[in-house]
Amino acid sequence: KGKSIGISGFVGDTNQTAFQVAVINQGQIENVGDVPGLPGGENYTAGYFRGGDLLDFVLYQPGMKTLRVVSVEKSGSTYQLSSPKNFEFDQPVRQIVTLTQGATQKLLIVFLDGLKAAVCNFDGQKAPEIVQTLEAPAEITGATLADTGLVLTTQARGGKFSNRYVSFTSQGSTFSPGPLGSLPSLAD
């Protein structure tokens, strides 16, 4: 938020990566920091979980139980990354998406087994707190934000591609099931 533009991503190869954050401030690229030594295939989501105007990044490895959180901090005119904070879940994670409900940002965590997703309160400091569990009629393969809530894509258990969806509408601090249906085929 504000006058600087942030850049973030992974650099490395399939075996090992580093997560890097930089800002473009008045036409100059300034390195904010990095988190080296991460396994290849790491993913992330970002949000303003602390409620201010500095980003928090949630790093995770699909199939693993650990989340790493690094936050952008500012001292004077200098930006830096905090030391990573690690949080552990009871089950492995497939995907994490940042949800926005009004002025609040939360995490949506799709667990690896695909049977459910969890909406979590998260402040960037303490472990995510599950406040609602969402279930779909089939294996959840992914999640995306929609104007009125979110959409979970699904497939038959053990399938090879997403072929259905179920939507959830934001209702204050919770999500209510909405329309569901088939996705168009991508076959020629």
Side-chain angles (χ1 to χ4, degrees), residues 3 6 13 15 19 21 29 34 69-70 86 98 118 127 149 163 167 187:
K3 299 175 187 168
D13 58 32
N15 296 317
F19 180 73
V21 178
I29 296 177
D34 64 355
V69 179
V70 292
N86 292 337
T98 300
N163 58 2
S167 63

Side-chain angles (χ1 to χ4, degrees), residues 8 29-30 46 67 71 75 86 94 147 155 157 177 187:
S8 58
I29 296 177
E30 300 171 14
L67 312 179
S71 300
S75 176
N86 292 337
R94 177 180 289 191
D147 288 342
Q155 68 184 11
R157 190 85 175 132

Side-chain angles (χ1 to χ4, degrees), residues 75-145:
S75 176
S77 62
T78 305
Y79 294 95
Q80 63 189 27
L81 281 183
S82 68
S83 297
K85 294 180 215 66
N86 292 337
F87 302 109
E88 193 86 10
F89 274 99
D90 291 337
Q91 49 187 309
V93 170
R94 177 180 289 191
Q95 181 183 15
I96 301 177
V97 176
T98 300
L99 298 176
T100 300
Q101 285 186 307
T104 304
Q105 291 194 311
K106 298 180 179 185
L107 293 176
L108 175 74
I109 300 172
V110 178
F111 293 106
L112 186 63
D113 65 8
L115 300 177
K116 63 184 175 213
V119 176
C120 299
N121 285 338
F122 185 59
D123 66 3
Q125 305 298 313
K126 297 182 300 256
E129 173 193 3
I130 297 174
V131 293
Q132 184 178 2
T133 301
L134 305 177
E135 296 185 15
E139 181 180 350
I140 300 167
T141 56
T144 189
L145 297 176

Side-chain angles (χ1 to χ4, degrees), residues 152-173:
L152 300 179
T153 54
T154 66
Q155 68 184 11
R157 190 85 175 132
K160 296 185 183 212
F161 55 88
S162 301
N163 58 2
R164 299 198 51 81
Y165 71 91
V166 59
S167 63
F168 290 86
T169 304
S170 180
Q171 302 286 326
S173 63

